[in-house]
Amino acid sequence: CFDFKRVSYPVINDFAISLLSVDEENEPYLLEKLNSCRNGLGKPLYDPVRALRQCVSQGRRLATVHLLIEVSLWKDAVDTALDINLELAKSVAKRYSGQDKDIQKEIWLCIVKHLLSGNEAESDELVSTITDIMNDSGGSLSIDDILELLPSFERMGKFKDLICKSLNKYSNDVRCMKAEIELASQSNTKLRNA
């Protein structure tokens, strides 16, 4: 038996990943290999695209999610994670730390769309889950984004509290902007008269 954990040669690591991906029972060891096989800078000591191809072809979904993140295919990682479970998809979305707010929003919207497509019936649990997702998104999602996805006005009733909260926030924002404009106007008038 050979200990693949301490190997720093990419070719050997690629071979080890290929071997581990063949059997479903080895997926925990495969994930351990993917996590531990890194250089001092945190870069993988294997070809992540090759490993991704191998894991997809062998149906190793958890490893596929891990590798999709590794190659920065975040939306695909969330889509694959949603096939496994919601919590995994949310954890993938939380891990995205890119600068692109549109991608971050799209990742979270993907999760909401999945929830809405799978739940035809209006339920308090669905509303609660979507509210949790909005909170978990760290401000990436707003009620406006969710309302666009709802198929009809009948389903909006359950989101009444979120809509009211959002309208109150907008109202406060407008008041703050109005106060800033008033202050700027007063300063402008003082400068003209001086």
Side-chain angles (χ1 to χ4, degrees):
C1 186
F2 186 75
D3 182 13
F4 284 110
K5 291 180 185 173
R6 292 181 168 59
V7 176
S8 61
Y9 297 106
V11 174
I12 295 174
N13 290 323
D14 288 340
F15 179 68
I17 290 168
S18 294
L19 289 176
L20 290 170
S21 68
V22 173
D23 190 3
E24 186 175 356
E25 293 176 8
N26 288 334
E27 192 159 19
Y29 303 112
L30 174 59
L31 288 168
E32 181 183 338
K33 178 68 176 169
L34 294 173
N35 284 320
S36 66
C37 193
R38 301 194 173 277
N39 65 16
L41 300 174
K43 300 289 181 188
L45 291 171
Y46 57 87
D47 180 358
V49 175
R50 184 177 188 278
L52 175 60
R53 205 173 318 124
Q54 182 72 28
C55 290
V56 168
S57 71
Q58 296 296 330
R60 303 297 156 252
R61 296 186 308 168
L62 287 173
T64 298
V65 170
H66 176 88
L67 290 163
L68 285 166
I69 292 169
E70 185 71 47
V71 296
S72 297
L73 294 173
W74 291 93
K75 189 172 181 306
D76 293 331
V78 168
D79 286 337
T80 305
L82 283 168
D83 291 338
I84 300 169
N85 67 48
L86 177 63
E87 291 306 315
L88 179 60
K90 285 169 47 175
S91 72
V92 169
K94 286 177 188 175
R95 285 182 60 186
Y96 178 75
S97 59
Q99 299 298 318
D100 193 340
K101 297 295 181 191
D102 291 335
I103 291 175
Q104 191 170 24
K105 181 177 178 177
E106 188 178 336
I107 289 168
W108 285 104
L109 280 174
C110 183
I111 295 172
V112 173
K113 287 176 186 175
H114 176 80
L115 283 173
L116 290 173
S117 69
N119 292 297
E120 295 301 321
E122 190 174 347
S123 72
D124 292 334
E125 184 179 326
L126 176 62
V127 173
S128 174
T129 304
I130 290 175
T131 303
D132 291 343
I133 289 171
M134 281 180 52
N135 293 333
D136 290 344
S137 75
S140 296
L141 287 183
S142 68
I143 188 65
D144 301 342
D145 303 320
I146 306 299
L147 290 177
E148 292 174 7
L149 301 175
L150 297 175
S152 67
F153 286 105
E154 295 136 15
R155 293 187 74 179
M156 285 188 203
K158 292 288 185 173
F159 292 94
K160 179 182 173 187
D161 292 337
L162 286 174
I163 293 170
C164 290
K165 184 178 176 182
S166 178
L167 288 173
N168 285 334
K169 180 185 176 297
Y170 288 137
S171 177
N172 288 337
D173 290 347
V174 167
R175 274 187 235 134
C176 288
M177 286 182 204
K178 187 176 177 182
E180 288 176 9
I181 290 170
E182 185 65 32
L183 183 63
S185 177
Q186 289 173 359
S187 297
N188 189 18
T189 303
K190 286 179 184 179
L191 286 173
R192 277 191 209 156
N193 294 335

